[in-house]
């Protein structure tokens, strides 16, 4: 049911996007766009060692994409590339194959589990995690 998708908690999260905007001097950036709906996420990161030191995101997406970005933004500082990619992969499996929600620092993504019943929403819901993983990977590769 659509009401399960747009819960009060999800809408509150979507309205309060952490780290909104752009970084002045990112180590790397990544832009991801959903071809189906046009949602767009741009992520900027700086890294310190193998961890995210600073993060910003410019999100032009539906409430589902914004909620996903809010979970990411709330927990990404201090995360490693492995943590972000593991969460992204678990999130994708949760939506597309009925897998378990991500655990650890990104466990709040479980609130988006009802999206699995709406395949047209999967791409926009995953954008922030895909952009973050790509930006951190690029920053790590540039460093070495």
């Amino acid at each position: 049911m659509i009401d399960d998708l747009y819960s009060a908690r999800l809408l509150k999260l979507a309205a309060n996007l952490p780290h909104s905007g752009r970084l002045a001097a990112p180590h790397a950036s990544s832009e991801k766009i959903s071809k189906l709906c046009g949602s767009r996420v741009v992520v900027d990161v700086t890294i310190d060692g193998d961890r995210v030191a600073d993060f910003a995101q410019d999100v032009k997406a539906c409430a589902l994409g914004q909620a996903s970005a809010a979970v990411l933004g709330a927990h990404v500082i201090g995360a490693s590339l492995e943590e972000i990619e593991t969460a992204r992969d678990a999130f994708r499996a949760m939506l597309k194959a009925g897998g378990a929600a991500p655990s650890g620092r990104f466990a709040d993504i479980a609130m988006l589990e009802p999206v699995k019943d709406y395949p047209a929403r999967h791409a926009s819901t995953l954008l922030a995690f895909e952009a973050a993983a790509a930006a951190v990977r690029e920053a790590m590769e540039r460093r070495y």
Side-chain angles (χ1 to χ4, degrees):
M1 174 179 247
I2 201 84
D3 289 340
D4 294 334
L5 207 53
Y6 295 101
S7 67
R9 181 175 175 220
L10 182 139
L11 293 173
K12 182 177 179 183
L13 218 77
N16 297 297
L17 194 63
H19 301 285
S20 188
R22 301 292 306 268
L23 295 180
H27 292 157
S29 300
S30 178
E31 178 181 31
K32 297 293 181 183
I33 299 170
S34 170
K35 293 178 177 136
L36 184 63
C37 67
S39 290
R40 176 183 161 271
V41 174
V42 178
V43 165
D44 295 329
V45 297
T46 62
I47 59 171
D48 183 11
D50 68 344
R51 303 281 171 173
V52 174
D54 203 1
F55 172 87
Q57 57 187 347
D58 182 21
V59 179
K60 306 287 191 255
C62 63
L64 299 172
Q66 290 176 12
S68 173
V71 171
L72 175 72
H75 303 289
V76 72
I77 301 294
S80 68
L81 174 60
E82 180 181 3
E83 286 176 299
I84 296 166
E85 288 181 334
T86 298
R88 177 204 59 204
D89 295 346
F91 188 14
R92 183 181 297 122
M94 179 185 84
L95 293 178
K96 297 184 179 293
S103 59
R105 71 171 63 225
F106 299 110
D108 290 345
I109 213 69
M111 69 184 284
L112 288 162
E113 189 267 340
V115 177
K116 73 180 181 357
D117 296 329
Y118 301 89
R121 307 274 198 226
H122 293 179
S124 63
T125 307
L126 289 164
L127 286 178
F129 278 84
E130 291 174 346
V136 173
R137 178 168 295 285
E138 181 180 332
M140 297 290 291
E141 289 171 356
R142 285 183 178 179
R143 200 180 68 173
Y144 297 107

